[in-house]
Coordinates of all heavy atoms in Angstrom, one line a residue:
Chain L
K446 N -33.3 17.3 -58.4 CA -34.5 18.2 -58.3 C -34.3 19.2 -57.1 O -34.8 20.3 -57.2 CB -35.8 17.4 -58.0 CG -35.8 16.6 -56.7 CD -37.1 15.9 -56.5 CE -37.2 15.3 -55.1 NZ -38.1 14.2 -55.0
E447 N -33.4 18.9 -56.2 CA -33.2 19.8 -55.1 C -32.5 21.1 -55.5 O -32.4 22.0 -54.7 CB -32.4 19.1 -53.9 CG -33.2 18.1 -53.1 CD -33.4 16.8 -53.9 OE1 -32.7 16.5 -54.9 OE2 -34.2 15.9 -53.4
Y448 N -31.9 21.1 -56.7 CA -31.2 22.3 -57.1 C -32.2 23.3 -57.7 O -31.8 24.4 -58.1 CB -30.1 21.9 -58.2 CG -28.8 21.3 -57.5 CD1 -28.9 20.1 -56.8 CD2 -27.6 22.0 -57.6 CE1 -27.8 19.6 -56.2 CE2 -26.5 21.4 -57.0 CZ -26.6 20.2 -56.3 OH -25.4 19.7 -55.8
F449 N -33.5 22.9 -57.9 CA -34.5 23.8 -58.3 C -34.8 24.7 -57.1 O -35.5 24.2 -56.2 CB -35.7 23.1 -58.8 CG -35.6 22.6 -60.2 CD1 -35.3 21.3 -60.4 CD2 -35.8 23.5 -61.3 CE1 -35.2 20.8 -61.7 CE2 -35.7 23.0 -62.6 CZ -35.4 21.6 -62.8
L450 N -34.3 25.9 -57.0 CA -34.6 26.7 -55.8 C -35.8 27.6 -56.1 O -35.9 28.1 -57.2 CB -33.4 27.5 -55.5 CG -32.1 26.8 -55.1 CD1 -31.0 27.8 -54.7 CD2 -32.3 25.9 -53.9
E451 N -36.5 27.8 -55.0 CA -37.6 28.7 -55.1 C -37.0 30.1 -55.3 O -36.0 30.4 -54.6 CB -38.5 28.7 -53.9 CG -39.9 28.4 -54.1 CD -40.7 28.2 -52.8 OE1 -40.7 27.1 -52.3 OE2 -41.2 29.2 -52.4
G452 N -37.6 30.9 -56.2 CA -37.1 32.2 -56.4 C -35.8 32.3 -57.2 O -35.1 33.3 -57.3
M453 N -35.4 31.2 -57.8 CA -34.2 31.1 -58.7 C -34.6 32.0 -59.9 O -35.6 31.8 -60.5 CB -33.9 29.7 -59.0 CG -32.7 29.5 -59.8 SD -32.1 27.8 -59.7 CE -33.2 26.9 -60.7
P454 N -33.6 32.8 -60.4 CA -33.9 33.6 -61.6 C -34.3 32.8 -62.7 O -33.7 31.7 -62.9 CB -32.6 34.3 -61.8 CG -31.8 34.3 -60.6 CD -32.3 33.1 -59.8
E455 N -35.3 33.3 -63.5 CA -35.8 32.5 -64.6 C -34.7 32.1 -65.6 O -34.7 31.0 -66.1 CB -36.9 33.3 -65.3 CG -37.7 32.6 -66.4 CD -38.1 31.2 -66.0 OE1 -38.6 31.0 -64.9 OE2 -38.0 30.3 -66.9
E456 N -33.8 33.0 -65.8 CA -32.8 32.8 -66.8 C -31.8 31.6 -66.4 O -31.3 30.9 -67.3 CB -32.0 34.0 -67.2 CG -31.4 34.8 -66.1 CD -31.0 36.2 -66.6 OE1 -31.4 36.6 -67.7 OE2 -30.2 36.8 -65.8
I457 N -31.7 31.5 -65.1 CA -30.8 30.3 -64.7 C -31.6 29.0 -65.0 O -31.0 28.1 -65.5 CB -30.6 30.4 -63.1 CG1 -29.9 31.7 -62.8 CG2 -29.8 29.2 -62.6 CD1 -28.4 31.8 -63.2
R458 N -32.9 29.1 -64.7 CA -33.7 27.9 -65.0 C -33.7 27.5 -66.4 O -33.6 26.3 -66.8 CB -35.2 28.2 -64.6 CG -35.6 27.6 -63.2 CD -37.1 27.6 -63.1 NE -37.6 26.3 -63.5 CZ -38.5 25.6 -62.8 NH1 -39.0 26.2 -61.7 NH2 -38.9 24.4 -63.2
S459 N -33.8 28.5 -67.2 CA -33.9 28.2 -68.7 C -32.6 27.8 -69.3 O -32.6 26.9 -70.1 CB -34.5 29.4 -69.4 OG -33.7 30.5 -69.4
I460 N -31.5 28.3 -68.7 CA -30.2 27.8 -69.3 C -30.0 26.3 -68.8 O -29.4 25.5 -69.6 CB -29.0 28.7 -68.8 CG1 -27.8 28.5 -69.8 CG2 -28.6 28.4 -67.4 CD1 -27.7 29.6 -70.8
W461 N -30.5 26.0 -67.7 CA -30.4 24.6 -67.2 C -31.2 23.7 -68.1 O -30.8 22.7 -68.5 CB -30.9 24.6 -65.7 CG -30.6 23.3 -65.0 CD1 -29.8 22.3 -65.4 CD2 -31.1 23.0 -63.7 NE1 -29.8 21.3 -64.4 CE2 -30.6 21.7 -63.3 CE3 -31.9 23.7 -62.8 CZ2 -30.9 21.1 -62.1 CZ3 -32.2 23.1 -61.6 CH2 -31.7 21.8 -61.2
D462 N -32.5 24.2 -68.4 CA -33.3 23.4 -69.3 C -32.7 23.2 -70.6 O -32.7 22.2 -71.2 CB -34.7 24.1 -69.5 CG -35.6 24.0 -68.3 OD1 -35.4 23.0 -67.5 OD2 -36.5 24.8 -68.1
Q463 N -32.0 24.3 -71.1 CA -31.3 24.2 -72.3 C -30.2 23.1 -72.3 O -30.1 22.3 -73.2 CB -30.6 25.6 -72.6 CG -29.9 25.8 -73.9 CD -30.9 25.6 -75.0 OE1 -31.7 26.5 -75.3 NE2 -30.8 24.5 -75.8
G464 N -29.5 23.1 -71.2 CA -28.5 22.1 -71.0 C -29.0 20.7 -71.1 O -28.5 19.8 -71.7
I465 N -30.2 20.5 -70.5 CA -30.9 19.2 -70.5 C -31.2 18.8 -71.9 O -30.9 17.7 -72.4 CB -32.2 19.2 -69.6 CG1 -31.8 19.4 -68.2 CG2 -33.0 18.0 -69.8 CD1 -33.0 19.7 -67.2
T466 N -31.7 19.8 -72.7 CA -32.0 19.5 -74.1 C -30.8 19.1 -74.9 O -30.8 18.2 -75.7 CB -32.7 20.8 -74.7 OG1 -33.8 21.2 -73.8 CG2 -33.2 20.5 -76.1
W467 N -29.7 19.9 -74.7 CA -28.5 19.6 -75.4 C -28.0 18.2 -75.2 O -27.6 17.5 -76.1 CB -27.4 20.6 -75.0 CG -27.5 22.0 -75.5 CD1 -28.2 22.4 -76.6 CD2 -27.0 23.2 -74.9 NE1 -28.2 23.7 -76.7 CE2 -27.4 24.3 -75.7 CE3 -26.3 23.4 -73.7 CZ2 -27.1 25.6 -75.4 CZ3 -26.0 24.8 -73.5 CH2 -26.4 25.8 -74.3
F468 N -28.1 17.7 -73.9 CA -27.7 16.4 -73.6 C -28.6 15.3 -74.3 O -28.1 14.3 -74.9 CB -27.6 16.1 -72.1 CG -26.2 16.4 -71.6 CD1 -26.1 17.5 -70.7 CD2 -25.1 15.6 -71.9 CE1 -24.8 17.8 -70.2 CE2 -23.9 15.9 -71.4 CZ -23.7 17.0 -70.5
K469 N -29.9 15.6 -74.3 CA -30.8 14.7 -75.0 C -30.5 14.6 -76.4 O -30.4 13.5 -77.0 CB -32.3 15.2 -74.8 CG -32.8 14.8 -73.4 CD -34.2 15.3 -73.2 CE -34.8 15.0 -71.9 NZ -36.0 15.8 -71.6
E470 N -30.2 15.8 -77.0 CA -29.9 15.8 -78.4 C -28.6 15.1 -78.8 O -28.5 14.6 -79.9 CB -29.8 17.3 -78.9 CG -31.2 18.0 -79.0 CD -31.1 19.5 -79.2 OE1 -30.0 20.0 -79.3 OE2 -32.2 20.1 -79.3
A471 N -27.7 15.1 -77.8 CA -26.4 14.4 -78.1 C -26.5 12.9 -77.8 O -25.5 12.2 -77.9 CB -25.4 15.0 -77.2
G472 N -27.7 12.4 -77.4 CA -27.9 11.0 -77.3 C -27.8 10.5 -75.8 O -27.7 9.3 -75.6
A473 N -27.6 11.4 -74.9 CA -27.5 11.0 -73.5 C -28.9 10.7 -72.9 O -29.9 11.2 -73.5 CB -26.9 12.1 -72.7
E474 N -29.0 10.0 -71.9 CA -30.2 9.6 -71.2 C -30.4 10.6 -70.0 O -29.5 10.5 -69.2 CB -30.2 8.2 -70.8 CG -31.5 7.7 -70.2 CD -31.2 6.3 -69.6 OE1 -30.3 5.6 -70.0 OE2 -32.0 6.0 -68.6
V475 N -31.4 11.4 -70.0 CA -31.5 12.3 -68.9 C -32.5 11.7 -67.8 O -33.6 11.3 -68.2 CB -32.0 13.7 -69.4 CG1 -32.3 14.6 -68.2 CG2 -31.0 14.3 -70.3
V476 N -32.0 11.7 -66.6 CA -32.7 11.1 -65.5 C -32.9 12.0 -64.4 O -32.0 12.8 -64.0 CB -31.9 9.9 -65.0 CG1 -32.7 9.1 -63.9 CG2 -31.5 9.0 -66.1
D477 N -34.1 12.1 -63.8 CA -34.4 12.9 -62.6 C -33.8 12.2 -61.4 O -34.1 11.0 -61.2 CB -35.9 13.2 -62.4 CG -36.4 14.2 -63.4 OD1 -35.5 15.0 -63.8 OD2 -37.6 14.2 -63.7
V478 N -33.1 12.9 -60.6 CA -32.6 12.2 -59.3 C -32.8 13.1 -58.1 O -33.2 14.3 -58.3 CB -31.1 11.9 -59.4 CG1 -30.7 10.9 -60.5 CG2 -30.3 13.2 -59.6
S479 N -32.7 12.5 -57.0 CA -32.9 13.3 -55.7 C -31.6 13.2 -54.9 O -31.1 12.1 -54.7 CB -34.1 12.7 -55.0 OG -34.1 13.3 -53.7
L480 N -31.2 14.4 -54.4 CA -30.1 14.4 -53.5 C -30.6 15.2 -52.3 O -30.5 16.4 -52.1 CB -28.9 15.2 -54.1 CG -28.3 14.7 -55.4 CD1 -27.4 15.7 -56.1 CD2 -27.5 13.4 -55.2
P481 N -31.3 14.4 -51.4 CA -32.1 15.1 -50.4 C -31.4 16.0 -49.4 O -32.0 16.9 -48.9 CB -32.8 13.9 -49.6 CG -32.1 12.7 -50.1 CD -31.4 13.0 -51.4
H482 N -30.1 15.8 -49.2 CA -29.4 16.7 -48.2 C -28.7 17.9 -48.8 O -28.0 18.6 -48.2 CB -28.4 15.8 -47.4 CG -29.1 14.8 -46.6 ND1 -29.3 13.5 -47.1 CD2 -29.7 14.8 -45.4 CE1 -30.0 12.8 -46.2 NE2 -30.2 13.6 -45.1
T483 N -29.1 18.2 -50.1 CA -28.4 19.3 -50.8 C -28.5 20.6 -50.0 O -27.5 21.3 -49.9 CB -29.1 19.5 -52.2 OG1 -28.9 18.3 -52.9 CG2 -28.5 20.7 -52.9
K484 N -29.6 20.9 -49.5 CA -29.8 22.2 -48.9 C -29.0 22.3 -47.6 O -28.8 23.5 -47.1 CB -31.3 22.5 -48.6 CG -31.9 21.7 -47.5 CD -33.3 22.3 -47.2 CE -34.1 21.4 -46.3 NZ -35.4 22.0 -45.9
Y485 N -28.5 21.2 -47.0 CA -27.7 21.3 -45.8 C -26.2 21.5 -46.1 O -25.4 21.7 -45.2 CB -27.9 20.1 -45.0 CG -29.4 19.8 -44.6 CD1 -30.1 18.8 -45.1 CD2 -30.0 20.8 -43.7 CE1 -31.4 18.6 -44.8 CE2 -31.3 20.6 -43.4 CZ -32.0 19.5 -43.9 OH -33.3 19.3 -43.6
A486 N -25.9 21.4 -47.4 CA -24.5 21.4 -47.7 C -23.8 22.8 -47.4 O -22.7 22.8 -46.8 CB -24.3 21.2 -49.2
L487 N -24.5 23.9 -47.7 CA -23.9 25.2 -47.4 C -23.7 25.5 -45.9 O -22.6 25.8 -45.5 CB -24.7 26.3 -48.1 CG -24.0 27.5 -48.5 CD1 -22.8 27.3 -49.3 CD2 -25.0 28.5 -49.2
P488 N -24.7 25.3 -45.1 CA -24.4 25.5 -43.6 C -23.4 24.5 -43.1 O -22.6 24.9 -42.3 CB -25.8 25.2 -43.0 CG -26.8 24.9 -44.0 CD -26.2 25.1 -45.4
T489 N -23.3 23.3 -43.7 CA -22.3 22.3 -43.2 C -20.9 22.9 -43.6 O -20.0 22.8 -42.8 CB -22.5 21.0 -43.9 OG1 -23.8 20.5 -43.6 CG2 -21.5 19.9 -43.5
Y490 N -20.9 23.4 -44.8 CA -19.6 23.9 -45.3 C -19.1 25.1 -44.4 O -18.0 25.2 -44.1 CB -19.8 24.5 -46.8 CG -18.6 25.2 -47.4 CD1 -17.6 24.5 -48.0 CD2 -18.5 26.6 -47.3 CE1 -16.5 25.1 -48.5 CE2 -17.4 27.2 -47.9 CZ -16.4 26.5 -48.5 OH -15.3 27.1 -49.0
Y491 N -20.1 25.9 -44.0 CA -19.7 27.1 -43.2 C -19.4 26.7 -41.7 O -19.2 27.6 -40.9 CB -20.7 28.2 -43.3 CG -20.3 29.0 -44.5 CD1 -20.9 28.7 -45.8 CD2 -19.2 29.9 -44.5 CE1 -20.4 29.4 -46.9 CE2 -18.8 30.6 -45.6 CZ -19.3 30.3 -46.8 OH -18.9 30.9 -47.9
I492 N -19.4 25.4 -41.4 CA -18.8 24.9 -40.2 C -17.5 24.3 -40.4 O -16.5 24.7 -39.8 CB -19.8 23.9 -39.5 CG1 -21.1 24.6 -39.0 CG2 -19.1 23.3 -38.3 CD1 -22.1 23.7 -38.5

Side-chain angles (χ1 to χ4, degrees):
Chain L
K446 65 174 185 203
E447 287 79 8
Y448 284 62
F449 281 98
L450 297 183
E451 236 175 273
M453 183 160 77
E455 184 50 39
E456 53 194 12
I457 301 289
R458 258 196 98 133
S459 65
I460 201 102
W461 192 8
D462 285 339
Q463 183 64 71
I465 293 169
T466 308
W467 288 334
F468 269 113
K469 282 182 181 161
E470 286 169 0
E474 185 192 332
V475 174
V476 185
D477 285 334
V478 294
S479 172
L480 301 167
H482 296 91
T483 299
K484 70 167 169 179
Y485 302 112
L487 205 54
T489 303
Y490 176 85
Y491 275 95
I492 293 171

